[in-house]
């Protein structure tokens, strides 16, 4: 079985190509990320369970479909994950949000946690962890470790770009967490950047370089 689902919708692929271009401005990049995250969110939630409720239209009473279960949780891995959050919240405005701060030590590439805040009772909720880049997988693995420690049992991981190494590492650490991505790139370079990639996602979203 494939370790990652590639979301190959033509609009996703087209927008991703513009985002990869080095000449795309910060404003353009951010706007595209918001748009693409809405499409990714649509795909990652396409098999959510439905139940029915009785409602009244202006004409008659009917049994109408509605999402089953508790509100979703979107867990953003800071800081670049926040770039994916906005478009997802446009689509699911009632979702709860967790923030997980893990940074990569530049020498060891290990993930160090510096912030964690999440809704309580993660047990009963689907938690969708978001980070644009699945590179080494270290920060994503650490973030999912933390969410599982706080009770999350039903998780999915959503990113924009993944490196084969990151998919391998993540799937080994968390085989129960399906990965969704818009593309699987060639490899990581020595600094842990995805090639061909799109550069540093945080810098491109926030214009910090
Ligand atoms: N994080 C990024 O922002 N870009 C990469 O290529 C890898 C990790």
């Amino acid at each position: 079985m494939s370790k990652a689902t590639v979301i190959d919708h033509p609009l996703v692929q087209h927008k991703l190509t513009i985002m990869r271009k080095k000449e795309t401005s910060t404003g353009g990049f951010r706007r595209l990320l918001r748009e693409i995250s809405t499409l990714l969110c649509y795909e990652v939630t396409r098999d959510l369970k439905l139940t029915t409720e009785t409602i009244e239209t202006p004409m008659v009473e009917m049994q109408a479909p509605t999402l089953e279960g508790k509100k979703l949780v979107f867990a953003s891995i800071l800081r670049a994950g926040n770039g994916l959050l906005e478009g997802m919240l446009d689509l699911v405005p009632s979702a709860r949000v967790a923030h997980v701060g893990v940074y990569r030590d530049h020498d060891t590439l290990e993930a160090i946690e510096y912030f964690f805040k999440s809704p309580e009772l993660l047990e009963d909720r689907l938690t969708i962890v978001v980070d644009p880049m699945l590179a080494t997988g270290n920060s994503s693995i650490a973030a999912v470790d933390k969410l599982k420690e706080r009770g999350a049992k039903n998780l999915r991981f959503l990113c924009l770009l993944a490196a084969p190494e990151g998919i391998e590492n993540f799937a080994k650490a968390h085989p129960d967490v399906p990965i969704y991505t818009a593309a699987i790139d060639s490899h990581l370079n020595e600094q842990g950047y995805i090639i061909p990639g799109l550069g540093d996602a945080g810098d491109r979203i926030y214009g910090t370089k």
Side-chain angles (χ1 to χ4, degrees):
M1 199 183 90
S2 162
K3 291 182 178 142
T5 300
V6 176
I7 300 170
D8 58 1
H9 191 292
L11 286 176
V12 169
Q13 296 304 315
H14 181 82
K15 288 175 194 295
L16 179 57
T17 295
I18 305 172
M19 294 176 77
R20 287 181 189 270
K21 291 182 184 175
K22 63 180 183 197
E23 66 270 23
T24 297
S25 68
T26 299
F29 189 91
R30 208 182 289 149
R31 183 175 46 76
L32 284 157
L33 185 58
R34 191 176 187 132
E35 291 168 3
I36 213 170
S37 57
T38 310
L39 297 165
L40 297 177
C41 183
Y42 180 80
E43 291 292 338
V44 79
T45 55
R46 77 157 45 244
D47 64 345
L48 291 189
K49 294 222 166 22
L50 290 170
T51 181
T52 54
E53 64 171 311
T54 309
I55 62 163
E56 281 181 42
T57 75
M59 312 303 285
V60 287
E61 192 178 278
M62 73 171 284
Q63 293 294 312
T66 182
L67 286 175
E68 190 182 78
K70 293 228 163 96
K71 302 275 184 276
L72 302 184
V73 175
F74 296 151
S76 164
I77 303 181
L78 299 175
R79 70 183 161 149
N82 280 6
L84 279 173
L85 261 188
E86 291 175 21
M88 296 181 68
L89 288 170
D90 286 343
L91 209 58
V92 190
S94 60
R96 307 303 193 233
V97 177
H99 291 96
V100 186
V102 277
Y103 70 88
R104 286 194 307 167
D105 182 292
H106 275 295
D107 298 324
T108 64
L109 302 183
E110 285 301 313
I112 317 239
E113 181 190 330
Y114 65 90
F115 186 82
F116 187 93
K117 187 84 184 167
S118 85
E120 298 194 337
L121 302 176
L122 291 176
E123 287 84 351
D124 307 330
R125 300 177 187 274
L126 170 62
T127 299
I128 301 175
V129 184
V130 298
D131 189 350
M133 312 297 270
L134 179 58
T136 60
N138 290 343
S139 50
S140 315
I141 291 168
V144 171
D145 283 341
K146 298 294 159 201
L147 289 158
K148 285 184 173 174
E149 278 167 24
R150 318 290 161 110
K153 291 192 166 59
N154 183 10
L155 297 113
R156 297 177 184 186
F157 181 81
L158 175 63
C159 60
L160 200 52
L161 287 187
E165 298 90 327
I167 293 175
E168 201 61 41
N169 293 338
F170 185 90
K172 203 178 288 169
H174 296 295
D176 56 315
V177 181
I179 301 167
Y180 294 80
T181 181
I184 301 174
D185 274 9
S186 163
H187 64 280
L188 293 178
N189 71 7
E190 276 157 21
Q191 288 76 43
Y193 280 91
I194 297 178
I195 304 299
L198 49 71
D200 185 296
D203 284 339
R204 297 214 55 192
I205 298 166
Y206 299 113
T208 38
K209 210 168 255 174

